[in-house]
Amino acid sequence: MTNVVLVGTLDTKGVEYGWLRERLLRAGVEVMLVDTGIMGDPRVPADVPREDVARAAGTELSELRAAADRGAAVTTMARGAEATLLRLHEEGRLHGVLALGGSGGTSIATRAMRALPLGVPKVMVSSMASGDVAKYVGSTDITMMYSVVDIAGINTISAPVLANAVDAIAGMAKGFSRAARGVLPAQLGTGARPLVAASMAGVTTVGVDAARERLTELGYEVLVFHVSGTGGRTLETLAGQRVFAGVLDLTLSEIADEQCGGILSAGPDRLTAAGRAGVPQVVSLGALDMVKFGPPETLPERARFRRVRVHNPSITVIRTTPAECAEIGRLVAGKLRGATGPTAVCIPKRGLSTLGAPGGPYHDPAADRALFTALRDGLRGSAAQLYDYDTHINDPAFGRAAADRLHAMIRTRRAAA
């Protein structure tokens, strides 16, 4: 039997959750309702009452009520919901989870969802889903649906939105229960083909694709992460868990965004996890010739008179200056100096992106030299190996060479183990 778990505050959203439960039952799945409400009385009965959720977090509901601290209570119930869903999953009683809510309900439910293994269906219907949902989704596979109207009753707009959510989770859960596709992150990389992570952007696709194809020929499964901020954070998370045999980090634009105020930063810890974990890594400098902003009208004043290109309707890029490139080079070197595993840096001397290749609008040898010089100076005396290539990053020969270098490092590491 397929089981869908509903997680929500039944004091404020009880009517809506009752409606979801009836629709799910009609869709042919079993339903378990977990109550994460705190103050008001539940408007529908729960299979896992709020008292049990609070105890799963190590406290009593009465204590949360007495403290009258909403923020602390939401955090505690989120922790209890996480423990509850993990227990249900371990018991084989969870094949999918569906929740709806505003900011508080979304925070509670998505914390519990993020704790579940990759592959377990997770659908969150939220009034927050039209904005920045990175803090809710994190590095997981949560499906966010915008509720359009607030979660306040069943009406002309909410009914079809919630019906779609029901149909989505019912279909996902049925397929999941048949195929048992859920995989804990700690189990990744234990299959027949070792896993390699690769970073890619649209402007480095040709080179990274060549590397991916070469690594596939060599017997690896390559997981490509889009350097969108979230993509880099996900790569870092999994690298830190040592699920990769190696990391091919050819595209570092998130570091330029972090350093220069762009919108697609992966945070200050980008390019550190593989090094800390001792995972072999081959690094290049893809897309460090640009910083990404939003649509042209959102460019900060300081960027408006730089070399500006509209990448697509949502992304505008500016060329990094020699001074910025030098600072980025020092930053990259500082991150790589701390690596505890084999590290190689492949430098494509003729350009770092499609825009920066010879003849491209961002081709700037002086700025690139500033980057290369600062990187070399910063890595002098370290264990990291530097390799120069008289090509641009999207030359397929460069991608294949980087892949071969990573393969050699992985083989050497395994032979020594």
Side-chain angles (χ1 to χ4, degrees), residues 58-402:
T59 190
E60 294 291 330
L61 184 67
S62 58
E63 296 175 3
L64 295 178
R65 287 175 167 172
D69 184 334
R70 184 180 185 276
V74 166
T75 300
T76 300
M77 295 303 278
R79 191 167 66 248
E82 175 183 340
T84 299
L85 264 60
L86 283 173
R87 174 178 60 81
L88 292 173
H89 176 262
E90 290 166 1
E91 294 170 353
R93 302 164 65 194
L94 185 154
H95 301 115
V97 56
L98 171 63
L100 52 83
S103 59
T106 303
S107 295
I108 292 172
T110 54
R111 170 166 175 168
M113 291 178 183
R114 289 195 301 272
L116 291 170
L118 297 174
V120 175
K122 315 164 185 75
V123 176
M124 181 74 229
V125 183
S126 174
S127 57
M128 308 297 290
S130 187
D132 181 0
V133 298
K135 62 183 176 181
Y136 301 123
V137 176
S139 302
T140 68
D141 55 347
I142 296 172
T143 298
M144 300 288 292
M145 290 182 63
Y146 182 42
S147 62
V148 184
V149 293
D150 202 357
I151 311 296
I154 306 300
N155 54 56
T156 301
I157 292 179
S158 67
V161 171
L162 297 182
N164 285 341
V166 165
D167 291 343
I169 196 62
M172 292 178 189
K174 288 177 182 178
F176 175 80
S177 65
R178 288 193 300 267
R181 289 191 296 260
V183 183
L184 283 168
Q187 296 172 326
L188 290 170
T190 58
R193 292 189 294 163
L195 296 181
V196 166
S199 57
M200 187 169 77
V203 293
T204 62
T205 296
V206 175
V208 177
D209 270 350
R212 177 180 57 81
E213 290 167 4
R214 177 60 178 152
L215 286 167
T216 301
E217 293 173 0
L218 292 168
Y220 298 94
E221 180 179 355
V222 183
L223 306 182
V224 179
F225 295 87
H226 182 208
V227 286
S228 58
T230 302
R233 288 192 295 272
T234 304
L235 187 159
E236 296 292 317
T237 297
L238 294 177
Q241 294 171 358
R242 295 182 173 88
V243 302
F244 301 127
V247 173
L248 191 73
D249 216 345
L250 300 187
T251 312
L252 302 184
S253 62
E254 291 158 320
I255 292 177
D257 279 23
E258 172 70 13
Q259 180 65 25
C260 303
I263 64 170
L264 296 183
S265 165
D269 294 330
R270 181 72 173 90
L271 197 62
T272 60
R276 284 197 307 268
V279 177
Q281 57 179 337
V282 170
V283 177
S284 190
L285 309 172
L288 286 178
D289 52 3
M290 63 186 70
V291 181
K292 298 183 180 69
F293 293 95
E297 63 272 15
T298 68
L299 278 177
E301 189 64 29
R302 59 185 171 79
R304 292 178 183 269
F305 303 102
R306 303 271 292 272
R307 277 186 280 177
V308 177
R309 298 283 296 186
V310 176
H311 185 60
N312 60 47
S314 300
I315 299 293
T316 305
V317 297
I318 63 171
R319 205 333 173 162
T320 42
T321 66
E324 289 169 339
C325 285
E327 186 57 37
I328 292 168
R330 287 188 285 270
L331 180 63
V332 170
K335 292 172 181 286
L336 295 180
R337 286 188 69 90
T340 61
T343 300
V345 181
C346 296
I347 299 177
K349 296 172 64 176
R350 289 184 176 271
L352 309 178
S353 70
T354 53
L355 297 180
Y362 282 0
H363 183 58
D364 188 336
D368 289 350
R369 279 196 302 272
L371 173 65
F372 304 156
T373 299
L375 180 66
R376 293 181 198 282
D377 291 345
L379 288 177
R380 188 169 290 117
S382 76
Q385 302 294 309
L386 275 73
Y387 301 92
D388 287 342
Y389 294 87
D390 191 26
T391 182
H392 59 83
I393 198 164
N394 282 312
D395 188 319
F398 175 81
R400 289 192 293 269

